Amino acid sequence: MTTDQESKDRHFKDLYASPPDFKVLGRLDPDLAAVLNGRELDFDDPASVMQLTKTLLKLDFDLSIELPDDRLCPPVANRHNYILWLKSLLDTSSYEKPGRKAVGIDIGTGASCIYPLLGCTQRPWSFVATDIDSKSLEYARENVKRNELTHRINVLARTQDDLMIPLQDAKIQSADFTMTNPPFYASKDELLESAAQKSRKPFTACTGSETEMVTAGGEVAFVGRILDESLELRERVQWYTCMVGFLSSATKLVERLKKEGIDNYAVTALVQGSKTRRWAVGWSFQAMRPEQSVARGVTSKAGAAKIDLPPATEQQVLKITLPEKIGEFADELRRHIGGLELASWEWDQERLEGIGRAEANVWNRAWRRKRKREMEVEEQESKEEVKKEPSAIAFGFQVRVRVTKNNLSVGCRWMEGHDAVIFESFQGYIKATVNSIRGTAKEKKK
Ligand SMILES: C[S@@+](CC[C@H](N)C(=O)[O-])C[C@H]1O[C@@H](n2cnc3c(N)ncnc32)[C@H](O)[C@@H]1O
């Protein structure tokens, strides 16, 4: 059964998959029609660009905003892409159903406050939205009020020297994510040069103001500060994320993550509905790992060659010809996995998939031998009733059986843990188990 959340998500997912038809939009919104020239919109005219943003926010999200002429006017499709990726990042790095409540921190929210507004429209999220620019803060607060979201979005003024992740000042213990679209440029000259290249007037709604667009060291230094803070806060935030404008910035950030020993990270290209490609990077000290399409969303050859992507988390372990009795095969697989000493194991008979968690690589022969010895000792000492403390979970996984007309495949996903070697070893165990089930079935047939 599809839930409200699922159908809402589906609607938002492909919203900008094809380019907008301005004539159609103009029919729906007379304010946009007034700035159109037939089917054309002048992207070099700040007033037209601003009207397009207002129109899309109104028609697609039922949001209304006001913006000053001298601050950045956010292109909606591009900002929406970041929110879509965040939704997938959170949904797939949790055992909860998609669409859980979450607290986010938007660092540098701008006059529009666009990310918190878009996020709250699509999900039961709440936000702390920060900025250092007093004019942007004033507009951001008004935009939150205008959309009746003051109970979910806390606009917080910061200074250049404050911590960027304001858990303490916002009076919260933890957060589910931080996000930022940092100022791009390292200097005013760089901004002017880029505006000249695009033949645009600088310091308008199209290009943004100096405070918005320029930061010492550029976007890598800005996100670098967030990374420094994350090394202190660690698990208190599940996902630290950023959007960057240059592939080289994403590459540098990933290099830094690896240098800091952060193994759980995600990189993606944000492309839908936007001519300008952007990149998103996220990292986590927690153990839940996102789905592969989210963590390794760099599909272009150039991107994949330059960025050191995180390890694969999904693997089709093997594909076999369809067994005679699919139900029996799946039951056997469930029983074998269930026979391991797992911390938990739940099987969904309808979907033919199960989720398990283990304190160690409990399928491994050496582990089982060790465990047997431990149990013998425990038995001898059992008169004293020693209670075993539960250990931390080292590995969480999903096993999926997929059936097509002629084949059956078994795949697994690494959902939790920091050790890629355990995942590899688990794949070996699943392969051996499936082969052994097939062998037994053949024996029976004889
Ligand atoms: C590129 S703009 C992004 C605005 C908006 N989030 C968007 O995507 O359209 C960057 C924002 O970061 C803000 N900013 C710069 N330094 C900051 C800091 N140390 N803490 C919080 N915000 C900062 C700027 O004032 C600006 O509003």
Side-chain angles (χ1 to χ4, degrees):
M1 205 180 34
T2 44
T3 59
D4 269 5
Q5 184 68 63
E6 277 169 337
S7 53
K8 215 166 148 186
D9 280 343
R10 204 164 315 122
H11 161 76
F12 286 124
K13 187 164 175 276
D14 298 321
L15 208 47
Y16 301 117
S18 37
D21 183 330
F22 294 128
K23 206 161 183 189
V24 174
L25 289 178
R27 256 186 252 131
L28 296 170
D29 184 5
D31 290 340
L32 184 71
V35 297
L36 285 179
N37 183 4
R39 247 177 216 280
E40 304 290 316
L41 185 110
D42 180 0
F43 278 93
D44 291 326
D45 171 38
S48 304
V49 170
M50 195 177 307
Q51 186 51 55
L52 176 62
T53 287
K54 287 182 178 175
T55 299
L56 292 176
L57 287 176
K58 180 161 81 179
L59 297 178
D60 293 335
F61 301 93
D62 197 21
L63 288 167
S64 144
I65 63 164
E66 282 307 325
L67 293 170
D69 294 335
D70 55 355
R71 292 292 182 275
L72 188 68
C73 170
V76 178
N78 167 279
R79 303 304 192 261
H80 179 54
N81 281 341
Y82 190 173
I83 295 287
L84 288 179
W85 180 70
L86 265 178
K87 282 162 66 173
S88 307
L89 189 70
L90 293 175
D91 286 350
T92 65
S93 56
S94 163
Y95 289 118
E96 280 182 52
K97 265 208 210 115
R100 67 184 154 120
K101 274 190 170 182
V103 175
I105 301 177
D106 178 24
I107 303 166
T109 200
S112 58
C113 202
I114 184 134
Y115 288 127
L117 292 179
L118 289 177
C120 287
T121 313
Q122 298 176 48
R123 284 293 169 97
W125 291 353
S126 55
F127 278 88
V128 176
T130 75
D131 214 290
I132 55 167
D133 179 299
S134 54
K135 187 165 183 180
S136 290
L137 284 161
E138 189 189 315
Y139 272 82
R141 287 199 179 100
E142 275 308 309
N143 284 327
V144 172
K145 237 191 245 166
R146 184 171 287 113
N147 292 285
E148 296 175 3
L149 283 165
T150 43
H151 57 302
R152 288 169 62 190
I153 305 173
N154 170 15
V155 179
L156 198 66
R158 308 298 285 162
T159 69
Q160 192 65 260
D161 302 326
D162 284 337
L163 287 174
M164 289 189 135
I165 306 174
L167 290 185
Q168 197 174 352
D169 292 337
K171 300 189 176 59
I172 50 176
Q173 264 309 307
S174 59
D176 296 278
F177 62 91
T178 69
M179 67 187 305
T180 187
N181 171 19
F184 272 8
Y185 302 107
S187 69
K188 190 172 165 184
D189 285 348
E190 223 179 82
L191 175 128
L192 291 171
E193 201 180 300
S194 161
Q197 267 173 17
K198 294 179 194 154
S199 318
R200 287 193 179 153
K201 259 202 343 218
F203 313 124
T204 64
C206 296
T207 52
S209 71
E210 193 175 335
T211 17
E212 286 176 301
M213 303 308 285
V214 179
T215 188
E219 56 185 8
V220 175
F222 193 90
V223 180
R225 275 182 65 190
I226 296 175
L227 208 163
D228 289 340
E229 289 180 28
S230 79
L231 291 170
E232 296 292 320
L233 294 171
R234 302 186 79 84
E235 283 94 352
R236 285 179 69 188
V237 175
Q238 186 183 6
W239 283 103
Y240 302 89
T241 74
C242 65
M243 177 167 91
V244 288
F246 306 107
L247 173 61
S248 60
S249 303
T251 309
K252 279 182 200 148
L253 289 169
V254 169
E255 277 168 11
R256 169 99 204 272
L257 293 176
K258 298 203 71 156
K259 205 171 125 234
E260 301 292 353
I262 300 168
D263 66 273
N264 191 10
Y265 63 94
V267 196
T268 198
L270 303 173
V271 277
Q272 192 189 106
S274 135
K275 279 183 239 151
T276 328
R277 191 181 282 255
R278 298 266 188 269
W279 308 89
V281 181
W283 64 97
S284 180
F285 297 86
Q286 294 188 16
M288 292 303 298
R289 308 192 83 93
E291 223 166 63
Q292 192 152 296
S293 60
V294 181
R296 292 161 60 95
V298 181
T299 45
S300 73
K301 262 196 184 151
K306 287 199 177 105
I307 297 188
D308 201 349
L309 295 173
T313 52
E314 279 160 57
Q315 202 64 49
Q316 178 181 297
V317 181
L318 78 173
K319 192 168 166 183
I320 55 176
T321 46
L322 215 53
E324 272 174 27
K325 295 174 180 162
I326 300 165
E328 259 178 37
F329 169 86
D331 250 10
E332 275 297 291
L333 184 62
R334 174 188 59 80
R335 203 177 54 75
H336 270 86
I337 301 174
L340 297 171
E341 204 171 310
L342 295 172
S344 66
W345 169 238
E346 271 178 50
W347 180 256
D348 182 331
Q349 186 59 30
E350 222 167 277
R351 302 171 77 106
L352 296 185
E353 57 192 35
I355 289 181
R357 299 176 86 209
E359 289 171 5
N361 51 350
V362 295
W363 50 88
N364 179 288
R365 231 183 244 139
W367 183 89
R368 290 210 303 260
R369 266 201 303 270
K370 189 171 149 255
R371 183 73 190 116
K372 200 170 159 221
R373 278 199 301 275
E374 276 172 7
M375 276 163 71
E376 282 162 6
V377 174
E378 272 168 28
E379 221 168 84
Q380 280 172 7
E381 292 173 352
S382 66
K383 281 137 219 153
E384 293 162 39
E385 278 277 321
V386 203
K387 242 199 178 161
K388 199 179 152 241
E389 285 296 320
S391 325
I393 298 298
F395 181 63
F397 61 89
Q398 183 188 48
V399 171
R400 308 160 168 165
V401 174
R402 293 286 175 264
V403 178
T404 59
K405 203 167 144 233
N406 301 315
N407 297 103
L408 177 148
S409 66
V410 181
C412 52
R413 201 191 131 201
W414 174 17
M415 295 186 75
E416 182 180 3
H418 290 283
D419 189 353
V421 176
I422 295 195
F423 178 47
E424 260 172 49
S425 144
F426 185 70
Q427 290 170 44
Y429 160 75
I430 292 290
K431 198 169 185 170
T433 304
V434 171
N435 283 332
S436 131
I437 295 172
R438 283 168 80 201
T440 316
K442 271 189 198 146
E443 281 293 310
K444 267 194 197 163
K445 238 178 132 183
K446 275 186 200 163

